[in-house]
Amino acid sequence: MRFQQLLHVRRLASAGATTLVRRPITTTITTTGRTALAATHPAFTTTVRTMAGSGAPIPELTEITDNVQRGNYATLADKDVAHFEQLLGKNFVLTEDLEGYNICFLKRIRGNSKLVLKPGNTAEVAAILKYCNERRLAVVPQGGNTGLVGGSVPICDEIVLSLARLNKVLSVDEVTGIAVVEAGCILENFDQRAREVGLTVPLDLGAKASCHIGGNVSTNAGGVRVVRYGNLHGSVLGVEAVLANGQVLDLMSNFKKDNTGYHMKHLFIGSEGTLGVVTKLSMLCPHSSRAVNVAFIGLNSFDDVLKTFVSAKRNLGEILSSCELIDERALNAALEQFKFLNSPISGFPFYMLIETSGSNGDHDEEKINQFIGDGMERGEIQDGTVTGDPGKVQEIWKIREMVPLGLIEKSFCFKYDISLPLRDFYNIVDVMRERCGPLATVVCGYGHLGDSNLHLNVSCEEFNDEIYKRVEPFVYEYTSKLKGSISAEHGIGFLKKDYLHYSKDPVAIGYMREMKKLLDPNSILNPYKVLN
């Protein structure tokens, strides 16, 4: 790649001209500290957690599950454990040290599962579900447990069905671009295997080092490149899923065109494990780009953000692969928490991360520099950095990826994943900032501007009912009035099930219930989630 230097682009206030100044960024990427739970606690109670190594208390868990009415399920018995040990082997039937399986990523929900099962193939998954269905034992499928709505953890005492051992990339065809992979494969490992033959997985998100592709499909995860590749309903060609009664439904396909009746694969993309357990899938992987450039730019207003986005679509066109927004408060939260981060520019209300991916480095470099230069001439872009160096591209992306973690490291954070019309995309942040007032320490927004997906965050020192009542259900009411979606990419899970009606028509919800009854009549699959 010829374009190896970092270009710092600055609009000169005095002359109104544009100049390019070479200024390298040097940043050492280190591993961030992880939170740990303070101690074990009784079931269905709050839990206090602390920062690893710091001892600083973090607010109590607030999604208390003791107000959930346990379903009419059987209680796990010794004979059940013995049956599973005979089926899987004792090493893959866990009854101790289950805290990591019981607690959601945001530390807001703690279940009380007494058993984790780790099957190694589809046949074992089928045998487990057949037995659990006959015994009326509730099951929660779990991948990397990186979800943000409590969809992959038990609410009461459901058996955890971990897909971690189904982790193989079965095939990657460089001619057709079709890959077949097991559900428990970590997204980053899948992508690395695809890149060995010049392909890339069309899904990319911050949790890629730990999330599972099966969980991604089950939640219809979006990520940062939907603007380029679309969502998983288009990329996933077929799935293999196990129904609640143990039947294996083979919906695999190796073709983009397969117009043979109902496309039942779509039932399992985004249904969050409530209709069946995805065990395998085929995915269309595009060829990886030879040239990747990233611009990190500062803007003075959201109106300038919208103008720049329109310009990016018009002038970058076929090479535009990502368009992200970060507001000043979100960026500062990440920089304050993670000192290894180094933002190349500062002092602006809004920042955009714009990525291009193409096959011709010279062509792409010229286009993105022209795009930024024109934006500066119009006064829409105030400052910016452009780089095609792979290491520096990664450093800039690291800033975006650490923003969500920066907001939860030392405070309680209400996190919302919503789709809004672009013209109204940021208004809710200002409205919520005024609505919460001094009760909130930070109210900020960031997200996938390219596909109208805002991540609204309201942080406070600790959870309290007063701020909770100001935030919910107002966020969902506001979103509903704009015909938006209360869940753009994270799913419904447990945390949003009471608010589904803000985005779904009652008739549609009724048919969703009928579908659930048809495929899972005993409701053993991921109960208490999605549907109330």
Side-chain angles (χ1 to χ4, degrees), residues 133-352:
N133 191 54
E134 292 171 351
R135 280 275 292 127
R136 304 298 194 272
L137 292 166
V139 176
V140 53
Q142 188 175 100
N145 197 16
T146 59
L148 301 180
V149 292
S152 60
V153 291
I155 300 302
C156 297
D157 56 355
E158 304 92 283
I159 294 172
V160 174
L161 180 66
S162 170
L163 280 298
R165 290 180 61 214
L166 279 74
N167 59 6
K168 302 181 189 67
V169 179
L170 300 176
S171 65
V172 181
D173 190 327
E174 63 180 314
V175 175
T176 64
I178 296 171
V180 178
V181 61
E182 291 182 325
C185 184
I186 291 173
L187 175 59
E188 190 170 58
N189 295 345
F190 180 20
D191 188 58
Q192 288 174 353
R193 176 67 179 85
R195 288 182 182 276
E196 290 176 5
V197 295
L199 302 175
T200 185
V201 175
L203 174 70
D204 191 4
L205 55 151
K208 58 192 170 190
S210 52
C211 65
H212 294 184
I213 188 61
N216 301 147
V217 170
S218 297
T219 57
N220 190 26
V224 299
R225 295 196 173 90
V226 172
V227 68
R228 175 68 167 266
Y229 300 119
N231 65 25
L232 293 178
H233 279 285
S235 300
V236 174
L237 302 180
V239 301
E240 176 187 81
V242 182
L243 301 181
N245 63 6
Q247 285 186 317
V248 179
L249 196 56
D250 185 353
L251 303 171
M252 295 292 288
S253 175
N254 288 331
F255 300 97
K256 290 185 68 175
K257 289 187 173 181
D258 180 12
N259 200 11
T260 52
Y262 305 137
H263 274 212
M264 294 180 66
K265 68 172 184 179
H266 294 295
L267 292 178
F268 303 98
I269 301 173
S271 59
E272 304 182 51
T274 62
L275 301 180
V277 178
V278 174
T279 51
K280 186 168 63 176
L281 60 105
S282 56
M283 179 176 286
L284 185 64
C285 296
H287 285 275
S288 56
S289 301
R290 294 179 180 177
V292 176
N293 290 280
V294 165
F296 193 71
I297 57 178
L299 309 98
N300 280 335
S301 70
F302 186 69
D303 186 56
D304 287 340
V305 169
L306 290 181
K307 292 177 181 177
T308 302
F309 174 57
V310 172
S311 176
K313 290 197 296 180
R314 179 180 295 122
N315 297 304
L316 299 178
E318 77 286 355
I319 62 171
L320 180 64
S321 55
S322 190
C323 186
E324 299 288 296
L325 172 72
I326 310 172
D327 74 10
E328 184 176 24
R329 290 175 175 85
L331 178 63
N332 289 342
L335 297 179
E336 289 170 6
Q337 295 301 324
F338 306 116
K339 301 303 182 183
F340 61 84
L341 294 177
N342 180 25
S343 177
I345 58 174
S346 61
F348 300 98
F350 297 96
Y351 300 87
M352 294 177 70

Side-chain angles (χ1 to χ4, degrees), residues 18-84:
T18 302
T19 185
L20 301 179
V21 182
R22 299 190 184 278
R23 191 179 73 184
I25 295 178
T26 55
T27 304
T28 302
I29 304 298
T30 61
T31 303
T32 60
R34 288 295 183 186
T35 56
L37 292 167
T40 57
H41 299 267
F44 319 134
T45 62
T46 59
T47 305
V48 177
R49 64 189 176 98
T50 64
M51 288 294 296
S54 70
I58 296 299
E60 294 182 340
L61 300 180
T62 60
E63 298 298 334
I64 314 304
T65 55
D66 58 357
N67 62 352
V68 174
Q69 180 66 44
R70 186 182 184 275
N72 187 26
Y73 302 110
T75 301
L76 186 70
D78 290 343
K79 66 175 183 178
D80 301 315
V81 177
H83 172 83
F84 293 127

Side-chain angles (χ1 to χ4, degrees), residues 413-450:
C413 187
F414 296 94
K415 302 182 77 68
Y416 300 95
D417 160 53
I418 53 182
S419 286
L420 294 167
L422 272 179
R423 288 184 175 84
D424 301 298
F425 188 81
Y426 193 78
N427 291 345
I428 191 172
V429 181
D430 293 328
V431 170
M432 193 57 66
R433 195 171 288 144
E434 181 177 354
R435 184 176 176 86
C436 293
L439 293 174
T441 54
V442 177
V443 178
C444 64
Y446 63 92
H448 317 301
L449 184 71

